[in-house]
Amino acid sequence: MRQWIHLVLAALAITVQGGADAHAATPTATSFAGNRTVGPVFRSGTGTAHGCTASVIASRHHDLMLTAAHCVFGRGTGWQIAPGYHDGKRPYGLWTVAAAYVPPQWMRSQDAQHDYAVLRMQPQRHGGHREAIQDVTGANRVALAPRLGEQITDVAYNSGINDKPIRCTVPAYYTRHYPSFDCHGFVGGSSGSPWLHDGTVVGVIGGLHQGGCTERTSYSSNFRSDVYDLVHRAERGGAGDRAPRPGSDGC
């Protein structure tokens, strides 16, 4: 899990960008006005700092979001997510988690290759009719892990409040069967952020070391057919899971 100390590392990385350091070729994430399908997770209300990131995924009932399993503990009910959040603004509303679903491999042993979770969001009523989150924001389809060298764009919210998201477009590579990318600036709060490729989500920051031990290199679980199994289970509804608190990230 990305720790608060990495905020300092991110600042240092931005300071030396363009200098003669050993990683001069590694890009640094830039802030922008936001992506309507991606938002920060508020566990204790919008007046407090957010932590972790989630994105809207295409689903039968238009009500699902994807994040990292290590971001979820307990049932997650009542947590709030603000898609497109920037500078304290919530242009696509504030949505509440109704249930969380994590893979059985994560429930049993916190298997790092299954570090992803699906959140079912409560509907809202606007103008006398019921709306689901996907009806308002649109969605990305879940897809299998990226190919070696495939360009992905990660959109993330580092822990904070009244801030902007960051993004970085880079090629994916593999570290011990974990999809990986190199870009400075991804620290605490970026876990669960989507790896976007042509309208699909091909990973989320998580997996090896719960996303990474430094702000320069980020990982994902290797999305295989199990990720579809989890989405289908969430589509069927039900009470959801009571997820364990994540253990050590091994950093």
Side-chain angles (χ1 to χ4, degrees):
M1 184 180 295
R2 301 296 172 87
Q3 303 296 328
W4 281 101
I5 192 171
H6 294 156
L7 292 171
V8 177
L9 295 176
L12 290 174
I14 293 170
T15 300
V16 301
Q17 186 186 17
D21 70 325
H23 305 308
T26 300
T28 296
T30 57
S31 62
F32 73 116
N35 179 311
R36 64 190 298 158
T37 65
V38 183
V41 179
F42 293 90
R43 296 188 179 96
S44 302
T46 56
T48 61
H50 52 73
C52 286
T53 305
S55 62
V56 185
I57 56 172
S59 63
R60 183 188 311 164
H61 303 296
H62 294 192
D63 58 354
L64 301 184
M65 299 191 77
L66 185 69
T67 189
H70 76 260
C71 288
V72 181
F73 49 86
R75 295 199 176 278
T77 54
W79 293 358
Q80 296 172 305
I81 302 175
Y85 179 88
H86 67 91
D87 304 295
K89 299 176 182 177
R90 306 191 294 270
Y92 304 102
L94 186 65
W95 301 79
T96 301
V97 176
Y101 305 84
V102 298
Q105 297 89 338
W106 181 265
M107 291 289 288
R108 286 196 301 265
S109 62
Q110 297 188 17
D111 176 17
Q113 284 290 18
H114 293 85
D115 187 3
Y116 46 82
V118 175
L119 307 175
R120 181 161 50 84
M121 311 304 293
Q122 294 179 5
Q124 296 182 359
R125 298 197 70 82
H126 292 108
H129 64 280
R130 178 184 180 277
E131 287 183 327
I133 188 168
Q134 183 179 328
D135 300 326
V136 176
T137 64
N140 302 293
R141 292 179 293 108
V142 174
L144 300 182
R147 297 187 301 273
L148 180 66
E150 191 167 78
Q151 292 285 116
I152 62 97
T153 298
D154 191 281
V155 176
Y157 288 83
N158 291 329
S159 296
I161 191 169
N162 297 333
D163 52 357
K164 288 183 171 69
I166 59 173
R167 64 183 171 188
C168 193
T169 300
V170 285
Y173 65 95
Y174 278 76
T175 303
R176 298 182 353 229
H177 303 294
Y178 291 91
S180 314
F181 73 79
D182 289 339
C183 185
H184 288 298
F186 290 87
V187 295
S190 64
S191 290
S193 58
W195 297 27
L196 302 174
H197 175 75
D198 289 344
T200 66
V201 182
V202 296
V204 298
I205 287 185
L208 185 62
H209 299 303
Q210 297 177 12
C213 292
T214 73
E215 52 77 41
R216 176 179 181 264
T217 300
S218 298
Y219 306 106
S220 172
S221 299
N222 197 339
F223 280 16
R224 291 293 180 248
S225 61
D226 288 348
V227 72
Y228 298 130
D229 294 340
L230 186 65
V231 172
H232 294 156
R233 182 158 69 91
E235 286 180 325
R236 292 194 296 270
D241 298 319
R242 185 183 294 277
R245 283 190 175 270
S248 170
D249 56 18
C251 293

